[in-house]
């Protein structure tokens, strides 16, 4: 910046400011300001022309008066005149006045734009910088219209100075944020990417901010930035602090630029080029390694800069979700921060671990910190940190630790801050529902939840426990007994929500505990009626319904109940709903015969199973995004790896499922625009996962009546081979062998996600198609293609999807699967649509593999080796010795074998380092037993995999699939 000459001190301005500061009252200040305004006005209107210095001084005074909160209605033209000055200080004040006081609708905007154009064309870097700053500060649509086409040329011009490039990049960023439609994409986009290679790190920093914002909206235009960003990041993280001396902040080289580059890389999936991907992995490993080094300074600025880069690197590792080793290392690093003395670090560590917990690779590593997180919940002072601890416990919960986590959250709920109690209640209810190993624990948990935090228990929670009890025969008696006990309805201070639950359950199933003298019908009625006068109108209405139910269940107390209904407080109640119920129930109990009463007041039928309303409420409270389900897919873990339950089939008719099934049917119901077909004998392919409201008969796996040949006339499964190339067939295929959920395919336009579940020889797959652009997809047609051989082994039924997919939206398609016999190939998913007038056509392999129909089988050591010897025919065994492609981590290997579908048998093999598994492949026609043995050689970094089944082709196929996982 040019030096300010001695005469630029503006003594008159200094005197005026001093006078204002010396004013003793507001009135004195206003009087002095009015005097000065009159003086300035007379100077501007005088016959004598003012020189540049005087204009600058008076414009400065006006600017100061405006900043004091007074309106300024003149002086704008004088400020505009200053823009044509060749003196830096005069031009600077003119631009400053315009940036603060001139609005976009001003009549002077054309004059201002002309002055700015002159400065931009002057090639004087100082004047160009002032003009660019003014454009960015005003940032109006008019400014964007005038200069959005000019600034990119300045940015990529070869003779532009570094300081001007910085200003141009940030100015263009400002205009793009305010008016993105006015910034044209053109030849400059490919050239601006190369600014990442600029020698001046200030230019690189500004350009990275610009490219990151542009890439979020136009990823295809800037995809070449990935390799350049990785290259620049590599040079930064591997350099010593002395190499980048001007940009080293407390011994951390270019921390702001490092963070921006890591954020840019989060706009894209992992690099496809192995060299770039390897270099990026090295960068991330180096950042993690540096975090373990002793600090080079005790200053807080050093640790802040170092941790900023570290957390952004961890965010990138989580975003890519493709390197198990990095994910586990990131988790261990965050675990060290959980007990750090700095509150902000503990908060950030908990927040990042919440996301890590949703990755199948790092979930087990996150679970090792459960005691630390529980301790944080109990001892943290900061409520926001405690809330993040609750979120992390919720994220790391699975069947193995659900009871411990739910118990700790209930304990914390008694002392939790009021602002987060409702959210904790919802999370406890969801976890208790999702991971219940038996219904008695679930009932105890929800009733305890209502007792502890009844005011925060929404209707969705107690509605849900009623639905569960109604639908499950084996828990009804226990639920009735529990709500009647001392800690529930008999408690002196019983919450109204507990009265609602107790009234409903006793009205339906009170007869199941009536044989005990301590809970006789009269005692049940008196207990409920003692709460009646304390309750609100809706609860009283429910209790009246319970009373009429008692008339049917317990005729011996009919007279007592009729006396209550006949009382003036009921028949003449001011509330019309209560009055109507009392009158109708009294009349019904008086004139109806026993048979009619039994018919009218019979038990509630089972509720149709659907997505938990509690889960929907939590999503709404958290504010889900547009493509929520696709993002959730990334966070979903394989049900085999975390032990979560499998959804029950047709829960409306199967009233007593086994403990390993999803007790509460949390799997989302398929969305379809057309109603399900009626269950007539004409149906050839029963939709086993259709809306349970359609009364489909219960399925018996392997029964010939469940499936016949599919009706292909209404299906989108065809038997032609796709004409186009299958994208990344092998990579995608192997990615899903050991997991059921995740992102199957992603490019700049489309993201395809999967959620799938399998039980014996049946399966259901949800395919989510997400439009990543702001433009509609038209004629959107996904088709599942099977070869002739595959069609005889695999029955697939797809449901149609909406042919129009709005920008930023998603559609869902359901594929129902039946394995008829063993198969070697995989179906192809072909997607065709129009985007911006261009026809798009792509195909990917659908990851339906033979191991998906595995059912794990537990065996003792003796049984295993006895069966192993029985399968000793050379054609029944397939063996493969291969080099390890990934780090040989025992925990990850165990998780992959379990995810493959077999049971992991502990203490079976004499060598404890070996892994042994057993399972059964279920098809409609047969069941195929399978035994596997994996022998790692850490020294040689090799594996030997041996598979034995009763069919050679099955052994060969399973060996091929599993070998690719290690």
């Amino acid at each position: 910046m040019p030096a300010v000459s001695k005469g630029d001190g503006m003594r008159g301005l200094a005197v005026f400011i001093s006078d204002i500061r010396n004013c003793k009252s507001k009135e004195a200040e206003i009087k002095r300001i009015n005097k000065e305004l009159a003086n300035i006005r007379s100077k501007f209107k005088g016959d004598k022309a003012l020189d540049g210095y005087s204009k600058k001084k008076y414009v400065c005074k006006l600017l100061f008066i405006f900043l004091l909160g007074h309106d300024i209605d003149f002086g704008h033209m004088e400020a505009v005149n200053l823009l044509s000055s060749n003196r830096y200080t005069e031009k600077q004040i003119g631009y400053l006045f315009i940036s603060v006081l001139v609005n976009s609708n001003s009549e002077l905007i054309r004059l201002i734009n002309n002055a700015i154009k002159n400065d931009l064309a002057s090639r004087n870097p100082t004047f160009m910088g002032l003009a660019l700053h003014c454009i960015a500060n005003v940032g109006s649509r008019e400014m964007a219209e005038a200069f959005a086409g000019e600034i990119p040329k300045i940015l990529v011009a070869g003779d532009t100075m570094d300081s001007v490039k910085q200003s141009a990049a940030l100015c263009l960023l400002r205009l793009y944020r305010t008016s993105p439609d006015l910034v044209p994409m053109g030849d400059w986009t490919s050239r601006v990417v190369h600014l990442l290679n600029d020698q001046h790190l200030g230019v690189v920093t500004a350009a990275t901010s610009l490219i990151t914002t542009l890439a979020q909206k136009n990823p295809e235009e800037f995809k070449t930035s990935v390799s350049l960003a990785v290259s620049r990041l590599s040079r930064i993280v591997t350099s010593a602090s002395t190499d980048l001396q001007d940009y080293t902040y407390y011994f951390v080289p270019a921390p702001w630029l490092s963070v921006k580059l890591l954020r840019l890389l989060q706009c894209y999936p992992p690099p496809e080029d192995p060299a770039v991907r390897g270099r990026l992995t090295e960068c991330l490993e180096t950042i993690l390694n540096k975090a373990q080094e002793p600090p080079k300074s005790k200053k807080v600025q050093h640790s802040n800069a170092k941790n900023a880069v570290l957390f952004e690197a961890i965010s990138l590792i989580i975003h890519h979700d493709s390197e198990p080793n990095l994910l586990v290392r990131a988790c261990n690093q965050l675990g060290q921060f959980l007990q750090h003395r700095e509150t902000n670090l503990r908060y950030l560590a908990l927040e990042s671990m919440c996301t890590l917990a949703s990755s199948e690779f790092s979930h087990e590593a996150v679970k090792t910190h459960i005691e630390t997180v529980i301790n944080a919940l109990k001892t943290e002072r900061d409520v926001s940190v405690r809330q993040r601890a609750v979120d992390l416990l919720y994220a790391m919960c699975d069947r193995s630790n659900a009871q411990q986590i739910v118990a700790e959250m209930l304990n914390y709920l008694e002392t939790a801050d009021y602002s987060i109690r409702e959210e904790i209640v919802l999370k406890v209810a969801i976890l208790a529902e999702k991971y219940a190993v038996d219904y008695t624990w679930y009932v105890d948990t929800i009733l305890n939840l209502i007792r502890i935090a009844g005011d925060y228990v929404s209707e969705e929670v107690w509605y849900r426990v009623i639905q569960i009890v109604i639908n499950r025969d084996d828990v009804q008696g226990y639920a009735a007994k529990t709500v009647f006990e001392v800690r529930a309805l008999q408690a002196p201070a019983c919450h109204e929500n507990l009265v609602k639950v107790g009234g409903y359950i006793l009205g339906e199933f009170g007869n199941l505990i009536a044989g005990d003298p301590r809970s006789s019908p009269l005692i049940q009625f008196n207990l409920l009626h003692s709460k009646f006068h304390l309750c609100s109108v809706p609860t009283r209405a429910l209790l009246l319904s319970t009373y009429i139910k008692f008339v049917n269940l317990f005729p011996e107390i009919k007279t007592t109940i009729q006396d209550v209904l006949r009382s003036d407080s009921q028949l003449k109640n001011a509330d019309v709903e209560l009055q109507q119920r009392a009158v109708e129930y009294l009349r019904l109990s008086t004139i109806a015969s026993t048979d009619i009463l039994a018919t009218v007041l019979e038990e509630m039928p089972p509720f149709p199973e659907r997505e938990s309303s509690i889960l929907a409420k939590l999503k709404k409270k958290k504010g889900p995004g547009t493509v929520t389900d696709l993002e959730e897919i990334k966070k979903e873990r394989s049900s085999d790896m975390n032990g979560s339950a499998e959804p029950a089939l047709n829960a409306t008719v199967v009233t007593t499922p086994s403990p390993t099934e999803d007790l509460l049917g949390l799997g989302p119901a398929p969305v379809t625009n057309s109603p399900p077909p009626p269950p007539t004998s004409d149906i050839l392919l029963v939709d086993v996962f259709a809306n349970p409201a359609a009364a489909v008969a219960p399925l018996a796996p392997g029964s010939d009546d469940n499936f016949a040949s599919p009706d292909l006339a209404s299906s989108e499964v065809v038997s032609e081979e796709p004409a186009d190339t299958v994208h990344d067939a092998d990579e995608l295929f192997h990615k899903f062998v050991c997991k059921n959920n995740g992102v199957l395919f992603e490019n700049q336009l489309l993201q395809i996600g999967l959620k799938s579940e399998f039980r014996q020889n049946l399966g259901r797959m949800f395919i989510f198609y997400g439009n990543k652009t702001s433009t509609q997809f038209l004629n959107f047609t996904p088709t599942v293609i099977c070869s002739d051989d595959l069609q005889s082994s695999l029955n697939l039924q797809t449901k149609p999807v909406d042919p129009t997919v709005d920008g930023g939206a998603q559609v869902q398609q359901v594929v129902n699967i039946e394995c008829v016999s063993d198969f070697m190939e995989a179906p192809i998913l072909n997607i065709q649509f129009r985007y911006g007038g261009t026809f798009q056509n792509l195909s990917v392999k659908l990851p339906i593999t033979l191991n998906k129909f595995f059912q794990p089988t537990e065996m003792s050591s003796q049984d295993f080796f006895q069966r192993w010897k029985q399968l000793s025919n050379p054609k029944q065994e397939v063996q493969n010795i291969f080099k390890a492609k990934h780090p040989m981590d025992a925990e990850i290997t165990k998780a992959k074998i379990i995810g493959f579908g077999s049971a992991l048998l502990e203490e079976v093999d004499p060598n404890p380092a070996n892994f042994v598994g057993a399972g059964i492949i279920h098809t409609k026609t047969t069941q195929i037993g399978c035994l596997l043995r994996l022998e790692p050689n850490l020294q040689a970094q090799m594996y030997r995999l041996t598979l034995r089944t009763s069919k050679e082709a099955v052994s060969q196929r399973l060996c091929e699939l599993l070998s690719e996982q290690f």
Side-chain angles (χ1 to χ4, degrees):
M1 184 182 294
V4 178
S5 64
K6 190 173 182 180
D8 287 333
M10 291 188 289
R11 184 172 177 276
L13 175 64
V15 171
F16 174 62
I17 294 173
S18 178
D19 290 348
I20 294 295
R21 288 177 176 171
N22 293 331
C23 289
K24 302 298 184 184
S25 65
K26 185 69 175 175
E27 291 74 14
E29 178 183 310
I30 293 173
K31 183 178 179 181
R32 178 68 183 88
I33 288 173
N34 288 337
K35 178 182 176 182
E36 190 63 38
L37 287 174
N39 177 52
I40 296 172
R41 198 185 298 268
S42 65
K43 295 290 184 182
F44 284 167
K45 289 185 176 180
D47 297 332
K48 185 179 179 182
L50 297 175
D51 59 10
Y53 171 79
S54 300
K55 285 183 184 177
K56 178 184 70 171
K57 179 177 66 175
Y58 293 134
V59 167
C60 267
K61 288 183 178 181
L62 290 176
L63 186 57
F64 179 72
I65 293 170
F66 175 78
L67 295 177
L68 289 176
H70 300 271
D71 291 333
I72 300 298
D73 56 2
F74 68 98
H76 299 75
M77 180 57 74
E78 284 70 18
V80 172
N81 291 337
L82 285 175
L83 299 184
S84 58
S85 171
N86 287 324
R87 292 178 64 86
Y88 170 78
T89 53
E90 294 173 9
K91 191 182 289 285
Q92 180 193 37
I93 296 301
Y95 275 123
L96 183 59
F97 185 93
I98 288 164
S99 299
V100 175
L101 272 88
V102 175
N103 61 52
S104 58
N105 297 323
S106 172
E107 297 175 356
L108 301 174
I109 201 71
R110 184 175 295 178
L111 293 174
I112 295 170
N113 286 352
N114 286 335
I116 292 174
K117 285 180 180 178
N118 291 334
D119 284 337
L120 291 178
S122 69
R123 312 311 293 173
N124 182 321
T126 306
F127 294 172
M128 293 176 75
L130 287 173
L132 290 167
H133 292 169
C134 179
I135 296 170
N137 286 332
V138 176
S140 65
R141 192 168 181 84
E142 289 73 14
M143 286 285 188
E145 288 175 347
F147 302 109
E150 184 69 25
I151 295 173
K153 297 175 184 177
I154 297 173
L155 178 60
V156 298
D159 59 345
T160 304
M161 292 187 65
D162 293 335
S163 60
V164 178
K165 283 183 181 178
Q166 283 180 263
S167 299
L170 296 176
C171 180
L172 189 59
L173 174 60
R174 163 72 168 161
L175 294 182
Y176 186 80
R177 285 174 173 167
T178 55
S179 306
D181 55 311
L182 295 180
V183 177
M185 297 291 116
D187 295 338
W188 65 273
T189 55
S190 58
R191 298 175 64 186
V192 77
V193 169
H194 292 283
L195 290 178
L196 295 176
N197 273 337
D198 200 279
Q199 293 182 350
H200 194 280
L201 286 192
V203 174
V204 180
T205 305
T208 305
S209 298
L210 173 63
I211 294 169
T212 301
T213 302
L214 294 173
Q216 289 169 353
K217 292 286 183 69
N218 307 281
E220 193 65 30
E221 295 272 357
F222 298 93
K223 63 182 180 181
T224 55
S225 63
V226 173
S227 59
L228 296 176
V230 170
S231 175
R232 174 62 78 172
L233 181 66
S234 176
R235 278 179 275 167
I236 293 172
V237 298
T238 56
S239 66
S241 56
T242 53
D243 296 341
L244 302 171
Q245 202 161 6
D246 292 340
Y247 286 86
T248 296
Y249 181 77
Y250 287 87
F251 302 101
V252 181
W256 283 275
L257 178 54
S258 300
V259 167
K260 288 177 184 291
L261 289 170
L262 289 165
R263 285 185 181 169
L264 170 59
L265 292 171
Q266 289 175 53
C267 297
Y268 293 92
E272 296 177 0
D273 186 342
V276 177
R277 191 166 185 165
R279 195 170 185 184
L280 177 58
T281 302
E282 288 177 11
C283 290
L284 296 172
E285 287 177 343
T286 304
I287 293 172
L288 292 174
N289 291 337
K290 285 186 176 181
Q292 299 292 335
E293 296 175 358
K296 296 179 180 179
S297 170
K298 293 183 179 180
K299 300 269 188 180
V300 68
Q301 292 91 336
H302 171 71
S303 60
N304 284 348
K306 188 175 176 182
N307 291 331
V309 178
L310 173 64
F311 275 102
E312 207 59 52
I314 291 174
S315 296
L316 179 60
I317 292 169
I318 295 170
H319 170 76
H320 284 173
D321 194 19
S322 60
E323 296 290 338
N325 185 40
L326 286 178
L327 285 162
V328 172
R329 285 195 61 189
C331 179
N332 294 336
Q333 180 63 52
L334 292 171
Q336 297 176 20
F337 288 140
L338 292 179
Q339 294 178 306
H340 200 279
R341 56 190 173 86
E342 177 61 43
T343 304
N344 289 337
L345 279 181
R346 296 197 302 274
Y347 178 93
L348 291 170
L350 288 166
E351 188 175 49
S352 297
M353 287 187 84
C354 284
T355 315
L356 270 177
S358 60
S359 169
E360 62 187 300
F361 300 117
S362 54
H363 179 71
E364 292 301 322
V366 172
K367 283 168 58 179
T368 61
H369 301 285
I370 184 171
E371 296 300 332
T372 308
V373 180
I374 290 172
N375 186 56
L377 197 63
K378 296 175 180 177
T379 59
E380 272 291 347
R381 290 184 178 181
D382 194 305
V383 62
S384 61
V385 180
R386 292 199 299 273
Q387 186 168 4
R388 292 287 80 78
V390 170
D391 292 342
L392 179 53
L393 286 175
Y394 177 77
M396 70 166 62
C397 187
D398 60 25
R399 189 173 298 284
S400 67
N401 57 19
Q403 294 197 20
Q404 179 189 5
I405 287 177
V406 168
E408 293 294 346
M409 291 174 81
L410 281 173
N411 290 338
Y412 172 62
L413 189 56
E414 298 192 42
T415 56
D417 294 82
Y418 295 110
S419 59
I420 62 174
R421 284 194 180 188
E422 184 181 2
E423 186 177 328
I424 296 175
V425 166
L426 291 174
K427 287 182 173 177
V428 169
I430 290 168
L431 294 179
E433 180 176 337
K434 190 174 184 180
Y435 298 114
V437 290
D438 65 74
Y439 302 111
T440 56
W441 175 74
Y442 171 73
V443 170
D444 287 340
T445 300
I446 299 301
L447 293 181
N448 201 19
L449 185 66
I450 297 173
R451 181 183 64 80
I452 294 171
D455 289 339
Y456 299 91
V457 175
S458 61
E459 289 184 337
E460 288 84 358
V461 175
W462 75 265
Y463 284 177
R464 191 65 177 160
V465 71
I466 293 296
Q467 292 174 14
I468 303 310
V469 173
I470 293 291
N471 285 14
R472 318 293 168 179
D473 294 341
D474 56 342
V475 77
Q476 291 164 357
Y478 180 82
K481 178 175 178 293
T482 304
V483 296
F484 181 78
E485 287 176 347
V486 174
R487 293 187 67 189
L489 287 176
Q490 295 184 41
C494 175
H495 195 275
E496 188 170 335
N497 279 336
L498 207 53
V499 176
K500 293 176 183 177
V501 175
Y504 200 109
I505 290 177
L506 292 179
E508 295 292 329
F509 310 113
N511 59 312
L512 299 178
I513 60 171
D516 189 332
R518 293 170 298 178
S519 55
S520 66
L522 186 59
I523 292 175
Q524 289 185 43
F525 171 75
N526 288 335
L527 178 60
L528 286 175
H529 197 54
S530 67
K531 315 290 182 185
F532 188 90
H533 66 288
L534 300 172
C535 297
S536 62
V537 170
T539 306
R540 292 185 187 185
L542 186 149
L543 288 177
L544 289 178
S545 298
T546 300
Y547 297 166
I548 193 63
K549 287 269 189 176
F550 277 178
V551 170
N552 177 48
L553 291 176
F554 313 122
E556 62 268 31
I557 61 170
K558 177 178 178 178
T559 306
T560 305
I561 293 172
Q562 286 178 331
D563 289 343
V564 170
L565 295 175
R566 195 178 286 116
S567 64
D568 287 349
S569 61
Q570 305 302 336
L571 293 181
K572 297 181 181 180
N573 197 296
D575 186 87
V576 66
E577 174 67 23
L578 295 181
Q579 185 187 81
Q580 183 177 354
R581 288 196 183 210
V583 170
E584 292 178 356
Y585 290 163
L586 178 62
R587 192 67 178 154
L588 178 65
S589 67
T590 305
I591 65 172
S593 66
T594 305
D595 292 339
I596 292 175
L597 269 179
T599 303
V600 173
L601 303 174
E602 66 179 351
E603 278 188 17
M604 287 291 291
F607 289 90
E609 290 291 355
R610 56 185 179 272
E611 181 183 11
S612 169
S613 56
I614 311 173
L615 197 58
K617 184 177 179 68
L618 183 63
K619 287 180 185 177
K620 183 177 179 181
K621 186 176 179 64
K622 284 292 187 182
T626 317
V627 195
T628 310
D629 291 327
L630 275 173
E631 292 306 317
E632 283 181 358
I633 288 169
K634 292 183 178 179
K635 300 176 184 177
E636 282 287 342
R637 302 182 298 276
S638 167
S639 60
D640 293 323
M641 289 194 175
N642 67 10
S644 65
E646 298 175 358
L649 301 180
N650 290 309
T652 52
V653 289
V654 184
T655 55
T656 314
S658 69
T660 58
E661 294 174 345
D662 184 356
L663 306 182
L664 309 160
L666 274 176
V671 180
T672 175
N673 296 327
S674 57
T680 67
S681 59
D682 296 332
I683 289 184
L684 296 177
L685 178 58
V686 175
D687 181 359
V688 294
F689 298 104
N691 188 337
V696 180
L699 294 171
S703 169
D704 292 337
D705 296 331
N706 291 337
F707 283 82
S709 59
D711 180 9
L712 294 177
S714 61
S715 171
E716 291 185 34
V717 181
V718 297
S719 60
E720 297 176 5
E721 292 295 334
D724 52 86
T725 306
V726 178
H727 289 270
D728 300 331
D730 292 335
E731 180 184 348
L732 294 173
F733 207 75
H734 299 146
K735 178 182 175 183
F736 280 87
V737 167
C738 291
K739 69 174 187 176
N740 290 333
N741 308 326
V743 176
L744 174 65
F745 173 82
E746 185 171 13
N747 63 12
Q748 313 309 330
L749 305 178
L750 177 69
Q751 186 182 51
I752 304 174
L754 294 183
K755 287 176 107 174
S756 49
E757 52 205 8
F758 297 87
R759 181 169 178 236
Q760 297 188 359
N761 71 312
L762 305 178
R764 172 174 62 177
M765 181 176 285
F766 294 94
I767 308 176
F768 298 90
Y769 305 98
N771 183 348
K772 294 174 63 177
T773 73
S774 56
T775 306
Q776 274 189 340
F777 291 167
L778 302 175
N779 302 330
F780 188 82
T781 311
T783 309
V784 179
I785 302 172
C786 293
S787 65
D788 292 337
D789 291 340
L790 188 57
Q791 275 202 324
S792 61
S793 303
L794 207 60
N795 281 345
L796 300 179
Q797 182 190 51
T798 63
K799 297 194 175 182
V801 299
D802 194 325
T804 301
V805 185
D806 292 332
Q810 69 159 0
V811 293
Q812 172 185 299
Q813 185 176 34
V814 183
V815 180
N816 296 319
I817 308 159
E818 182 201 23
C819 180
V820 179
S821 60
D822 56 277
F823 58 96
M824 303 300 119
E825 306 173 47
I828 302 297
L829 177 63
N830 176 253
I831 300 109
Q832 300 179 357
F833 60 94
R834 288 199 171 275
Y835 165 73
T838 307
F839 179 72
Q840 305 287 333
N841 185 10
L842 62 95
S843 294
V844 292
K845 275 190 179 181
L846 209 53
I848 301 174
T849 50
L850 188 58
N851 66 294
K852 298 299 183 185
F853 304 97
F854 242 135
Q855 290 295 304
T857 304
E858 295 292 338
M859 282 186 177
S860 65
S861 178
Q862 181 180 354
D863 292 339
F864 177 85
F865 284 107
Q866 181 180 353
R867 179 63 177 152
W868 185 266
K869 291 175 182 176
Q870 291 173 356
L871 296 171
S872 57
N873 189 313
K875 292 187 176 180
Q876 295 175 328
E877 178 182 287
V878 173
Q879 191 173 88
N880 186 23
I881 300 174
F882 54 94
K883 191 80 174 172
K885 304 182 187 71
H886 307 287
M888 299 179 72
D889 184 283
E891 293 303 317
I892 294 176
T893 302
K894 287 180 182 179
K896 286 184 176 180
I897 291 175
I898 295 171
F900 191 67
S902 68
L904 184 65
L905 306 181
E906 304 282 358
E907 300 179 0
V908 169
D909 197 294
N911 184 348
N914 294 344
F915 303 93
V916 174
I920 298 173
I921 299 286
H922 285 261
T923 71
K924 182 179 178 182
T925 55
T926 186
Q927 295 183 1
I928 305 166
C930 172
L931 303 177
L932 67 88
R933 187 183 192 190
L934 182 68
E935 301 165 86
N937 185 334
L938 292 174
Q939 187 174 358
Q941 291 290 297
M942 303 277 289
Y943 286 103
R944 179 166 64 184
L945 174 63
T946 308
L947 266 135
R948 291 187 179 183
T949 74
S950 53
K951 292 189 71 172
E952 180 182 9
V954 173
S955 300
Q956 186 67 42
R957 182 58 175 158
L958 293 179
C959 186
E960 291 172 2
L961 292 171
L962 192 55
S963 296
E964 291 296 331
Q965 302 306 305
F966 307 104

